[in-house]
Amino acid sequence: MALHKGPAAQETEHHRRLSLNPFYGEANPVSGMTEAPPRHRMPDGPLPPMSAYQLVHDELMLDGNARLNLATFVTTWMEPQAGVLMGECRDKNMIDKDEYPRTAELERRCVSMLAHLWNAPDPAAAVGCSTTGSSEACMLAGMALKRRWTNRNTDRYRSGARPNLVMGINVQVCWEKFCNFWEVEPRLVPMDGERFHLDAETAAALCDENTIGVVAVLGSTFDGSYEPVADICAALDALQERTGLDIPVHVDGASGAMVAPFVDEDLVWDFRLPRVSSINTSGHKYGLVYPGVGWALWRSPAELPEELVFRVNYLGGDMPTFALNFSRPGAQVVAQYYTFLRLGREGFRAVQQTSRDVARGLAERIDAMGDFQLLTRGDALPVFAFTTAPDVTNFDVFDVSRRLRESGWLVPAYTFPANREDLSVLRIVCRNGFSADLAGLLVEELDRVLPELRRQSAPSIHDKQAATSFHH
């Protein structure tokens, strides 16, 4: 199927002229509006800037309201001052470090702040970089794991040994892409009963001499739960004692790495565990920055093979760069530094605790309705998943999602992967900006639609794959 498809039938000239409000003209409503621009080819000539703006603006009104989007983990609100800073930096190319040395310096400071936050043994020695998001950061971490394994197993790799990566089936799709693009066998641990993510014993059992690493997810997108990073490391320690296999762990902390340090301080998941070699996070998720920025950090230079690092001149010296992308705006990196500076640890703690409190409170109110059964309660990530109660047979989660969408609420309904394809759920992500008042409005909307749903004779959609609105 084509990624971009034109109209099925040619629009008439009369119709296209009527698509423009006469007031969009440069002068008055009775002149200057002789032709509306085509939609699927470049127009022959220019438009006045206000006309072009208004045409695009009007069409975008049909998008969902980002503040009511409870499917996305991505930040949908920032302070006006952050927006001003981003506007001032939107023309700066992040890769031009010697032309924009202060932007490069702010990136370096963010890496150092994250190294301290994640308890690197020597924060000054930890290496890292900004990325366009966690997907790129995961690719970089996976590349480093594979290269380290290859360097240790050169002869076996040349003779046809295929490297593998162990992870839960709940990982984000970027890990499947990594394994596909870099020719690594994905060893996926399926869900089992009430276990919806990777467990330590199964992870260790899948490891062998070709395993480049184990991915532990701090905050599953399916239900918001943390994977047991410390238990996974302990199981791999025991495996090394028995077999000599030394398997590193990468923590995909896309969301949790910016939540746990502030509200789960006693949870040991980061560089305090010697087996954790690298960590990534999304600055544009619970890092509280508009998309797109992510971060990848390694415990020390030893975990990042030198041949993967490129050097650029920066203030008369070397600055390492390790990224898949080249040109990209510096605005998001500047916004990340602003957010770190603006909030500090106490500010981040207050923001993330508020999101968790809203999630817990909303989960309790939904549980009290009696029509739903909670899988998680928002006590890890400020995220929870729930399904319909066992005795509910006349509607399902897809009906609920569809009815909420009618009033602007975007709540995804989706089916779990192997071996729990029988389980379909709704999931709510509580982000900064989703207040207790908004949560109350969502409950009111559920109260409004449930009586009608209860009167249905059966769920309205039988093809669950067609109904699914969530794919990662």
Side-chain angles (χ1 to χ4, degrees):
M1 181 182 293
L3 293 177
H4 183 75
K5 189 176 178 182
Q10 186 67 33
E11 293 176 335
T12 65
E13 182 69 18
H14 176 68
H15 176 83
R16 290 198 295 116
R17 286 186 62 187
L18 291 180
S19 68
L20 277 174
N21 185 328
F23 279 98
Y24 294 175
E26 201 169 20
N28 62 59
V30 296
S31 68
M33 297 306 299
T34 59
E35 183 181 353
R39 292 177 182 169
H40 298 279
R41 63 175 177 82
M42 288 183 67
D44 295 330
L47 281 176
M50 193 60 205
S51 297
Y53 164 80
Q54 200 66 50
L55 283 169
V56 178
H57 171 83
D58 287 356
E59 188 161 351
L60 290 176
M61 288 193 299
L62 296 176
D63 272 347
N65 185 329
R67 293 288 297 281
L68 300 183
N69 183 359
L70 303 183
T72 184
F73 285 77
V74 173
T75 296
T76 54
W77 184 88
M78 289 190 77
E79 292 176 309
Q81 293 84 349
V84 171
L85 275 174
M86 294 181 76
E88 293 171 352
C89 299
R90 61 191 169 201
D91 57 349
K92 294 182 179 180
N93 190 352
M94 193 67 228
I95 201 65
D96 294 334
K97 299 184 185 299
D98 52 347
E99 286 92 343
Y100 306 118
R102 301 325 300 170
T103 302
E105 170 63 14
L106 298 190
E107 179 188 31
R108 189 191 66 80
R109 292 179 192 174
C110 287
V111 168
S112 178
M113 290 177 178
L114 289 171
H116 280 88
L117 185 67
W118 296 338
N119 296 294
D122 181 1
V127 292
C129 64
S130 66
T131 63
T132 54
S134 268
S135 293
E136 182 188 359
C138 290
M139 299 278 181
L140 298 178
M143 286 169 58
L145 289 174
K146 182 181 179 183
R147 183 61 61 91
R148 288 173 58 199
W149 176 87
T150 303
N151 290 343
R152 295 193 306 269
N153 298 273
T154 303
D155 293 340
R156 296 181 61 257
Y157 187 48
R158 287 175 178 170
S159 64
R162 188 184 183 193
N164 65 72
L165 183 66
V166 174
M167 50 196 166
I169 200 168
N170 56 300
V171 292
Q172 215 268 355
V173 70
C174 67
W175 287 107
E176 298 177 43
K177 289 182 179 180
F178 164 75
C179 290
N180 188 346
F181 295 167
W182 274 273
E183 299 181 325
V184 172
E185 175 196 352
R187 292 191 173 176
L188 299 172
V189 175
M191 296 180 176
D192 183 25
E194 300 305 307
R195 178 181 60 74
F196 303 126
H197 57 225
L198 187 66
D199 70 297
E201 290 72 21
T202 309
L206 286 178
C207 292
D208 59 24
E209 64 273 13
N210 294 331
T211 301
I212 65 174
V214 174
V215 175
V217 179
L218 197 70
S220 172
T221 59
F222 279 91
D223 62 0
S225 61
Y226 293 156
E227 291 188 339
V229 182
D231 291 346
I232 291 169
C233 288
L236 294 175
D237 289 342
L239 177 68
Q240 184 176 9
E241 290 180 7
R242 295 194 308 271
T243 66
L245 294 175
D246 186 7
I247 310 295
V249 169
H250 171 77
V251 178
D252 182 351
S255 293
M258 293 306 297
V259 173
F262 306 109
V263 295
D264 300 304
E265 294 179 81
D266 294 333
L267 181 67
V268 179
W269 62 272
D270 53 17
F271 290 127
R272 286 171 289 183
L273 298 168
R275 197 164 290 278
V276 172
S277 64
S278 51
I279 301 172
N280 72 273
T281 196
S282 289
H284 61 224
K285 292 180 180 173
Y286 286 95
L288 308 180
V289 174
Y290 288 141
V293 61
W295 300 93
L297 268 72
W298 289 263
R299 166 185 293 277
S300 72
E303 279 73 30
L304 180 59
E306 179 63 27
E307 64 266 27
L308 296 179
V309 179
F310 293 84
R311 304 284 173 177
V312 297
N313 184 273
Y314 167 63
L315 296 180
D318 264 354
M319 182 164 188
T321 178
F322 178 45
L324 297 177
N325 284 303
F326 199 71
S327 294
R328 58 187 173 89
Q332 285 83 359
V333 169
V334 171
Q336 184 74 86
Y337 182 71
Y338 165 84
T339 304
F340 286 165
L341 194 67
R342 167 78 173 88
L343 291 177
R345 292 200 179 210
E346 289 303 317
F348 260 96
R349 183 172 293 109
V351 169
Q352 311 301 37
Q353 186 64 56
T354 296
S355 294
R356 178 177 283 181
D357 290 345
V358 170
R360 284 172 166 171
L362 180 57
E364 289 174 3
R365 295 177 71 176
I366 289 175
D367 191 33
M369 291 178 172
D371 296 88
F372 302 107
Q373 176 179 323
L374 295 178
L375 275 67
T376 48
R377 296 180 173 271
D379 49 8
L381 292 186
V383 174
F384 64 96
F386 57 103
T387 188
T388 47
D391 59 338
V392 173
T393 58
N394 46 349
F395 67 91
D396 60 17
V397 295
F398 301 100
D399 289 324
V400 177
S401 178
R402 175 178 52 82
R403 290 304 308 272
L404 290 175
R405 184 179 287 267
E406 291 173 1
S407 55
W409 293 101
L410 305 178
V411 180
Y414 54 94
T415 302
F416 271 23
N419 289 325
R420 288 306 313 269
E421 297 96 333
D422 60 306
L423 179 59
S424 299
V425 305
L426 295 151
R427 189 203 63 201
I428 290 177
V429 178
C430 297
R431 305 177 306 279
N432 182 40
F434 182 67
S435 64
D437 286 346
L438 285 174
L441 292 176
L442 176 62
V443 171
E444 289 179 12
E445 187 60 24
L446 275 172
D447 281 333
R448 187 185 71 81
V449 302
L450 278 174
E452 297 176 31
L453 291 173
R454 291 167 185 148
R455 289 195 293 269
Q456 289 184 180
S457 58
S460 59
I461 299 176
H462 299 287
D463 183 357
K464 302 311 180 189
Q465 294 303 316
T468 296
S469 58
F470 179 79
H471 296 281
H472 61 81

